[in-house]
Amino acid sequence: MLKNKISDKWLYFAIIVLVIYLVIRIINLYGIVEEFPLDFSNDHSAHMSDLYFLEKYGYGENILNWYTFVGGYPLLKFYHPARTFYGMFFYYLLGSVEAATYFAMVSIIILGFIVIYLLGKYYGLSPVKRIAMFALFFANPILIGYYRIGRHSEIFGFLWMILFIFIVLWYKDRKIDWKFLWFIPVYSLLLLSHISIFLISSMLILSLLLVKKNRERIVILLSCFATFLLTAFWTIPFVRDSSETFVGGFYGLQRTLLLFTKETLIDRVSSYAIPLIFFFVFYLYYKTNKNKRELIFYSIPLVIGALFFTRILAFVPILNRPVPDTYNMFFLFLSIYLFLNLRSDKLLSYEKNIIKYGLIIIPIAAVLLSLNFTSFYHGHDQENKDIISLFPYVDDQLLIIGINGYPRPYYSYGAVYYDIYTPSGWGSQSVSKEARGKSGLPNKYLIDGNCDLFLKSMKDIGGKEIITRDDNCNFLIKCGMNPIRYSNSICLLKIKE
């Protein structure tokens, strides 16, 4: 069976290029262990503060440090909890939110390799092909960007997605037995890791139902029901109460695929390219493994892929909520799996050439795209240093506005190291749309240069102190705020009582 598949030699170049690049990127990110990340491309800080808050407050309790004017927000009620609980092991072990966040992420990548390498042999993949599967998936430009930004829940979710897909693909051609019980914990952890990845992956349950008989279908549906029972502690409150929050009104495909802006360009291009790759690879796979059962099973992903490619999916309820990357990663993994199972003896010579040259061009293109669109971690700049140097002098509810960087990482740093309170923060997905809007009004009125509305908006949200920079300092002093301390061009101001 193995000798009929594509040659391992074709994969060497891709493996070497992608693995080396992945290692370089992971080494570079060690910088977030050495100093708390405060740069603009930064979700790491949100996950760091989640670890701190989980220990300080506990699961489901109100985080009082952030969104103080509405009494805080419930920790992890409207955000996937599994990754934070996983990270707590590293937090207790290492005693540092920075180290815990970094090493938890690295461990997920290592676990991804272990899962693919150990399970891949049961799907007829040689050791080289298993390493290639890992490299093509975990070192692709999308995930490299996720490592850099700190999309930890998504990364964790993709790990469970792989396990879930392996289970479904195993039972696609086999009778369901007692070992199918593994489906329940894996599917549960997939849901608790990332609900969008869970939603998209679930289309394969429909695929499995299509190729099974009634008795097996009942077992599959009962296993799904058991999953919802196990996760009810989170899913029921999430579904019941999220409608009034930012999460309740989030439609990922509409926010990206239907907006023709510079910011959505990569999403729009990738959501054409990856479905096309999936369609092409499936064509080759079906051509070399002609089997009606395969066509029936993959009909669901093919239909969803077509709707995604044509943008019709942006108008389909529920399925329009995930962001394009989530669909892209799902179709990418299926493409890699099908590609590595192609029978090369049934490919035409030009098809073999496309594959050979593609395995040289695609890794190089992937690295170049990543280098162009995903920055390396560079550590603290002068603004970062100046702002955190003022934190020891903060003694009331703080708002950071009018700076060059991104305020939210500072709120994480301030909470973890100085127990600073703020009417803003990271948990915007967990508060009402009205509260989210009110917390942003001071920045709006600062930009507008309206003193009266600025001071009123600060009073409405209980803000007492401001960190800002340059001319904003002089403007707010003229508005009646008192200067407390300066650090170069950065100032700490307080509203007059």
Side-chain angles (χ1 to χ4, degrees):
M1 183 177 178
L2 286 173
K3 67 181 181 180
N4 291 330
K5 295 184 179 180
I6 62 173
S7 172
D8 287 350
K9 294 179 181 179
W10 297 2
L11 302 167
Y12 291 157
F13 180 80
I15 290 172
I16 292 169
V17 170
L18 293 174
V19 170
I20 289 175
Y21 185 60
L22 174 62
V23 171
I24 290 171
R25 282 292 193 165
I26 295 302
I27 292 173
N28 169 254
L29 275 173
Y30 185 78
I32 70 171
V33 177
E34 298 175 320
E35 58 184 16
F36 196 98
L38 298 170
D39 58 311
F40 196 87
S41 300
N42 189 344
D43 285 359
H44 296 291
S45 59
H47 293 279
M48 292 177 183
S49 55
D50 279 345
L51 294 175
Y52 170 76
F53 288 144
L54 187 57
E55 182 183 47
K56 178 180 178 180
Y57 291 105
Y59 173 76
E61 299 297 322
N62 265 21
I63 302 303
L64 302 178
N65 291 72
W66 294 346
Y67 289 92
T68 51
F69 66 102
V70 290
Y73 67 90
L75 179 63
L76 301 176
K77 181 178 180 180
F78 300 110
Y79 193 75
H80 329 93
R83 167 58 183 80
T84 303
F85 282 110
Y86 177 74
M88 288 302 291
F89 167 78
F90 294 89
Y91 187 34
Y92 289 133
L93 181 67
L94 302 171
S96 159
V97 293
E98 295 93 338
T101 301
Y102 174 79
F103 285 107
M105 182 183 72
V106 173
S107 73
I108 294 169
I109 299 171
I110 294 172
L111 285 172
F113 174 79
I114 293 171
V115 166
I116 289 172
Y117 195 83
L118 292 182
L119 296 184
K121 66 180 180 181
Y122 296 107
Y123 299 83
L125 299 179
S126 68
V128 171
K129 288 183 175 66
R130 285 174 250 162
I131 297 171
M133 176 178 280
F134 166 80
L136 290 168
F137 188 79
F138 280 93
N140 76 78
I142 295 174
L143 273 187
I144 293 294
Y146 277 25
Y147 305 146
R148 171 65 183 91
I149 295 171
R151 300 279 175 83
H152 295 272
S153 292
E154 287 87 343
I155 298 166
F156 199 48
F158 291 134
L159 171 65
W160 294 108
M161 180 191 78
I162 291 170
L163 265 169
F164 170 79
I165 292 175
F166 272 146
I167 290 173
V168 172
L169 291 175
W170 180 261
Y171 284 102
K172 169 174 67 74
D173 302 311
R174 293 168 180 84
K175 187 175 180 180
I176 290 177
D177 55 17
W178 68 269
K179 294 179 183 177
F180 189 74
L181 287 172
W182 282 107
F183 172 92
I184 298 171
V186 169
Y187 199 39
S188 299
L189 285 165
L190 174 57
L191 191 157
L192 295 174
S193 296
H194 203 280
I195 196 165
S196 291
I197 301 174
F198 165 85
L199 175 65
I200 293 170
S201 301
S202 295
M203 73 174 78
L204 289 185
I205 293 178
L206 295 177
S207 296
L208 195 58
L209 290 171
L210 287 178
V211 297
K212 290 297 178 182
K213 296 180 180 180
N214 287 337
R215 185 177 177 183
E216 290 180 296
R217 287 170 180 164
I218 292 171
V219 174
I220 294 167
L221 294 174
L222 287 175
S223 299
C224 292
F225 181 68
T227 294
F228 289 109
L229 289 180
L230 283 176
T231 59
F233 73 95
W234 183 77
T235 53
I236 291 176
F238 177 84
V239 173
R240 183 189 62 211
D241 302 329
S242 64
S243 61
E244 297 301 317
T245 68
F246 173 71
V247 172
F250 185 83
Y251 297 90
L253 295 187
Q254 292 183 359
R255 289 164 59 95
T256 49
L257 301 188
L258 302 184
L259 293 179
F260 294 88
T261 65
K262 181 180 178 182
E263 290 74 20
T264 64
L265 176 62
I266 297 301
D267 285 320
R268 287 183 284 115
V269 172
S270 64
S271 58
Y272 281 126
I274 292 180
L276 280 177
I277 291 172
F278 174 61
F279 298 147
F280 177 68
V281 172
F282 179 78
Y283 161 75
L284 295 179
Y285 176 80
Y286 185 67
K287 175 184 174 182
T288 61
N289 297 270
K290 283 192 175 180
N291 186 318
K292 185 179 179 181
R293 187 184 185 87
E294 296 289 318
L295 183 60
I296 294 172
F297 178 83
Y298 286 103
S299 63
I300 301 296
L302 288 168
V303 169
I304 298 297
L307 294 176
F308 180 56
F309 180 82
T310 59
R311 288 10 187 191
I312 295 173
L313 203 63
F315 302 97
V316 178
I318 300 177
L319 295 181
N320 59 3
R321 288 183 174 269
V323 296
D325 279 350
T326 312
Y327 281 100
N328 285 331
M329 293 299 294
F330 174 79
F331 289 123
L332 179 62
F333 186 79
L334 286 184
S335 299
I336 295 168
Y337 173 82
L338 294 173
F339 166 70
L340 294 174
N341 280 282
L342 292 178
R343 293 188 58 181
S344 60
D345 59 321
K346 293 192 175 182
L347 293 174
L348 300 175
S349 59
Y350 83 90
E351 293 169 338
K352 292 180 182 179
N353 287 333
I354 290 175
I355 292 172
K356 288 179 182 178
Y357 292 122
L359 287 169
I360 296 173
I361 295 170
I362 290 176
I364 294 174
V367 171
L368 292 176
L369 281 171
S370 178
L371 289 171
N372 187 50
F373 290 101
T374 304
S375 64
F376 282 84
Y377 182 73
H378 294 296
H380 290 178
D381 60 21
Q382 191 58 50
E383 181 180 82
N384 300 148
K385 296 173 183 177
D386 290 339
I387 290 176
I388 62 177
S389 72
L390 297 175
F391 279 11
Y393 306 98
V394 174
D395 64 4
D396 214 329
Q397 293 195 39
L398 174 70
L399 206 61
I400 302 172
I401 56 177
I403 61 173
N404 293 334
Y406 193 34
R408 286 180 175 177
Y410 296 105
Y411 296 134
S412 294
Y413 180 87
V416 171
Y417 287 102
Y418 294 95
D419 197 31
I420 289 174
Y421 286 65
T422 175
S424 187
W426 268 107
S428 60
Q429 76 275 8
S430 301
V431 298
S432 69
K433 300 168 189 175
E434 180 185 3
R436 191 168 182 261
K438 288 179 70 173
S439 70
L441 287 178
N443 186 61
K444 176 183 184 301
Y445 295 134
L446 172 64
I447 295 172
D448 293 344
N450 192 319
C451 282
D452 292 337
L453 289 177
F454 171 82
L455 294 173
K456 182 182 182 302
S457 66
M458 284 289 287
K459 181 180 179 181
D460 289 343
I461 62 174
K464 300 295 183 182
E465 297 183 347
I466 290 285
I467 286 180
T468 189
R469 65 173 299 138
D470 298 325
D471 293 340
N472 294 329
C473 299
N474 296 328
F475 172 75
L476 292 178
I477 290 171
K478 290 179 182 178
C479 288
M481 295 193 73
N482 290 328
I484 304 299
R485 197 172 185 89
Y486 281 83
S487 180
N488 294 315
S489 61
I490 306 296
C491 62
L492 171 63
L493 311 175
K494 187 167 187 174
I495 290 179
K496 291 181 180 179
E497 298 294 338

